[in-house]
Amino acid sequence: MSEARIINCETLYAGKVIDVNREQVELPDGAEVALEIVRHPGGAATVALDDQDRVCLLRQFRHAAGGWLWELPAGRIDPDETPQRTAARELAEEAGLVAEEWNDLGPMHASPGVFTEVIHLWLARGLTSQPVAHEPGELIEVHWLPFSQALDWCHDATITDAKTLIGLYRAKAMIQNDLDLLSEGSGC
């Protein structure tokens, strides 16, 4: 068996965003364990880069984190919505941006020991502004920073949000790879 098998599942809490289950699971090696699992539909986040090599970051109030965090525009995947559609919707709502070009930066697991949430990361370019449409209860400031400064903030722990750290690092790696391929092709 390569996957775990759920033997028994008890829903402890069913909420608007998450469900919390107590699950009796048979692991691939045959062992049985009792786990508490937070089930989440997943999300998408976007590294939005403009033509001046600036990245859009949100300064957002997060009660669970104890205050203000620097984050990428991101949100929960709605039913029957693709991760890219979620990324585009959230980019428009939270940052007031529409992108022409989308590059997949891959998925990430924020806390796979407890949460089922997978966050899909994207790099967006060819940006056009539009009005933001923040949801009630969202405290969000939209900021533009040089991409290099955002990466510095990853190094000095100004940015602590996992999806933002991983998204920025993966975007940097993709951009560097594209530059390396260009220089190899130019014969330099």
Side-chain angles (χ1 to χ4, degrees):
M1 170 169 56
S2 63
E3 299 290 326
R5 182 175 66 88
I6 299 173
I7 298 166
N8 185 37
C9 179
E10 174 189 2
T11 300
L12 303 175
Y13 173 79
K16 183 176 105 175
V17 177
I18 62 162
D19 293 339
V20 179
N21 296 340
R22 181 176 296 126
E23 299 180 9
Q24 189 70 25
V25 176
E26 181 183 356
L27 300 176
D29 68 357
E32 287 188 21
V33 294
L35 302 171
E36 292 173 350
I37 302 294
V38 179
R39 298 217 169 260
H40 185 284
T46 303
V47 178
L49 285 178
D50 70 7
D51 56 4
Q52 298 172 38
D53 204 29
R54 297 180 307 163
V55 64
C56 179
L57 289 180
L58 307 179
R59 186 169 174 264
Q60 186 164 1
F61 184 80
R62 296 292 194 177
H63 172 72
W68 294 88
L69 293 180
W70 289 98
E71 299 182 52
L72 296 173
R76 180 179 68 241
I77 297 173
D78 286 341
D80 300 321
E81 189 174 53
T82 66
Q84 185 176 355
R85 176 65 196 118
T86 299
R89 176 178 50 78
E90 290 292 338
L91 185 63
E93 290 174 3
E94 293 187 340
L97 297 169
V98 175
E100 290 178 18
E101 181 185 337
W102 290 89
N103 296 103
D104 187 352
L105 295 173
M108 63 154 286
H109 295 87
S111 186
V114 178
F115 295 101
T116 62
E117 179 184 33
V118 174
I119 300 173
H120 302 268
L121 303 170
W122 299 89
L123 173 60
R125 295 181 183 156
L127 305 173
T128 305
S129 294
Q130 69 174 34
V132 297
H134 296 158
E135 295 177 20
E138 285 184 325
L139 296 176
I140 296 175
E141 299 171 355
V142 179
H143 295 268
W144 287 94
L145 286 83
F147 189 52
S148 61
Q149 181 180 353
L151 291 168
D152 288 344
W153 283 8
C154 291
H155 296 294
D156 71 13
T158 299
I159 294 174
T160 59
D161 174 63
K163 71 183 175 299
T164 302
L165 291 163
I166 294 170
L168 291 170
Y169 284 138
R170 286 188 184 168
K172 178 185 179 212
M174 179 178 277
I175 291 164
Q176 186 60 54
N177 186 57
D178 290 348
L179 291 173
D180 290 348
L181 289 173
L182 281 174
S183 68
E184 287 174 14
S186 68
C188 297

Coordinates of all heavy atoms in Angstrom, one line a residue, residues 4-10 21-27 30-37 39:
A4 N -2.1 6.1 2.7 CA -2.7 5.7 4.0 C -4.2 5.4 3.7 O -4.8 5.9 2.7 CB -2.6 6.9 4.9
R5 N -4.8 4.6 4.6 CA -6.2 4.3 4.5 C -6.9 4.8 5.7 O -6.4 4.4 6.8 CB -6.3 2.8 4.3 CG -7.8 2.3 4.2 CD -7.9 0.8 3.9 NE -7.4 0.0 5.0 CZ -8.2 -0.4 6.0 NH1 -9.5 -0.1 6.0 NH2 -7.7 -1.2 7.0
I6 N -7.9 5.5 5.6 CA -8.7 6.0 6.7 C -9.6 4.9 7.2 O -10.5 4.4 6.4 CB -9.5 7.3 6.4 CG1 -8.6 8.4 5.9 CG2 -10.4 7.7 7.5 CD1 -9.2 9.7 5.4
I7 N -9.5 4.5 8.4 CA -10.3 3.4 9.0 C -11.5 4.0 9.6 O -12.6 3.5 9.5 CB -9.4 2.7 10.1 CG1 -8.2 2.0 9.4 CG2 -10.3 1.6 10.8 CD1 -7.2 1.5 10.4
N8 N -11.4 5.1 10.3 CA -12.5 5.8 10.9 C -12.2 7.3 10.9 O -11.1 7.7 11.1 CB -12.6 5.3 12.4 CG -13.9 5.9 13.1 OD1 -14.9 6.0 12.4 ND2 -13.7 6.2 14.3
C9 N -13.3 8.1 10.7 CA -13.2 9.5 10.7 C -14.3 10.1 11.5 O -15.5 9.8 11.2 CB -13.2 10.0 9.3 SG -13.1 11.8 9.1
E10 N -14.0 11.0 12.5 CA -15.0 11.7 13.3 C -14.7 13.2 13.1 O -13.6 13.7 13.3 CB -14.8 11.3 14.7 CG -15.7 12.1 15.7 CD -15.3 11.9 17.1 OE1 -14.4 11.2 17.4 OE2 -16.0 12.5 18.0
N21 N -10.9 17.0 11.8 CA -11.3 15.6 12.0 C -10.4 14.9 12.9 O -9.2 15.2 13.0 CB -11.3 14.8 10.6 CG -12.3 15.4 9.6 OD1 -13.2 16.0 10.0 ND2 -12.0 15.1 8.4
R22 N -10.9 13.9 13.6 CA -10.0 12.9 14.3 C -10.1 11.6 13.4 O -11.2 11.1 13.2 CB -10.6 12.6 15.7 CG -9.7 11.6 16.5 CD -10.1 11.3 17.9 NE -10.0 12.6 18.7 CZ -11.0 13.1 19.4 NH1 -12.2 12.6 19.4 NH2 -10.8 14.2 20.1
E23 N -9.0 11.2 12.9 CA -9.0 10.1 12.0 C -8.1 8.9 12.5 O -7.0 9.2 13.0 CB -8.4 10.6 10.6 CG -9.3 11.6 10.0 CD -8.8 12.2 8.7 OE1 -7.9 11.6 8.1 OE2 -9.4 13.2 8.2
Q24 N -8.6 7.7 12.4 CA -7.8 6.5 12.6 C -7.3 6.1 11.3 O -8.1 5.8 10.3 CB -8.7 5.4 13.3 CG -7.9 4.2 13.8 CD -7.0 4.5 14.9 OE1 -7.3 5.4 15.7 NE2 -6.0 3.8 15.1
V25 N -6.0 6.0 11.1 CA -5.4 5.8 9.8 C -4.5 4.6 9.8 O -3.7 4.4 10.7 CB -4.6 7.1 9.4 CG1 -3.9 6.9 8.1 CG2 -5.6 8.3 9.3
E26 N -4.5 3.8 8.7 CA -3.6 2.7 8.5 C -2.5 3.3 7.6 O -2.8 3.7 6.4 CB -4.2 1.5 7.9 CG -3.2 0.4 7.7 CD -3.8 -0.8 7.0 OE1 -5.0 -0.9 6.8 OE2 -3.0 -1.8 6.7
L27 N -1.3 3.4 8.0 CA -0.2 4.0 7.2 C 0.3 2.9 6.2 O 0.0 1.7 6.3 CB 1.0 4.4 8.2 CG 0.6 5.4 9.2 CD1 1.8 5.7 10.1 CD2 0.2 6.7 8.5
G30 N 1.5 -0.4 7.4 CA 0.5 -1.2 8.2 C 0.3 -0.7 9.6 O -0.7 -1.2 10.2
A31 N 1.0 0.2 10.1 CA 0.8 0.7 11.4 C -0.5 1.5 11.4 O -0.8 2.2 10.5 CB 2.0 1.6 11.9
E32 N -1.2 1.5 12.6 CA -2.4 2.3 12.8 C -2.1 3.5 13.7 O -1.4 3.3 14.7 CB -3.5 1.5 13.3 CG -4.1 0.6 12.3 CD -5.4 -0.1 12.8 OE1 -6.0 0.4 13.7 OE2 -5.7 -1.1 12.2
V33 N -2.5 4.7 13.3 CA -2.3 5.9 14.2 C -3.6 6.7 14.2 O -4.4 6.6 13.3 CB -1.2 6.7 13.7 CG1 0.2 6.0 13.8 CG2 -1.4 7.2 12.3
A34 N -3.8 7.4 15.4 CA -4.9 8.4 15.5 C -4.3 9.8 15.2 O -3.3 10.2 15.8 CB -5.4 8.3 16.9
L35 N -4.9 10.5 14.3 CA -4.4 11.8 13.9 C -5.6 12.8 14.0 O -6.7 12.5 13.8 CB -3.9 11.8 12.5 CG -2.8 10.8 12.1 CD1 -2.6 10.7 10.6 CD2 -1.5 11.2 12.9
E36 N -5.2 14.0 14.3 CA -6.1 15.2 14.2 C -5.7 16.0 13.0 O -4.6 16.4 12.9 CB -6.1 16.0 15.5 CG -6.6 15.3 16.7 CD -6.4 16.0 18.0 OE1 -5.7 17.0 18.0 OE2 -7.0 15.6 19.0
I37 N -6.6 16.1 12.0 CA -6.4 16.6 10.7 C -7.3 17.8 10.5 O -8.5 17.8 10.7 CB -6.6 15.6 9.6 CG1 -5.7 14.4 9.8 CG2 -6.3 16.2 8.2 CD1 -4.2 14.6 9.7
R39 N -8.7 19.9 7.6 CA -9.0 19.8 6.2 C -9.3 21.2 5.6 O -10.2 21.9 6.2 CB -10.1 18.9 5.9 CG -9.7 17.5 6.4 CD -10.2 16.4 5.4 NE -9.6 15.1 5.8 CZ -8.6 14.6 5.2 NH1 -8.1 15.2 4.2 NH2 -8.1 13.4 5.6

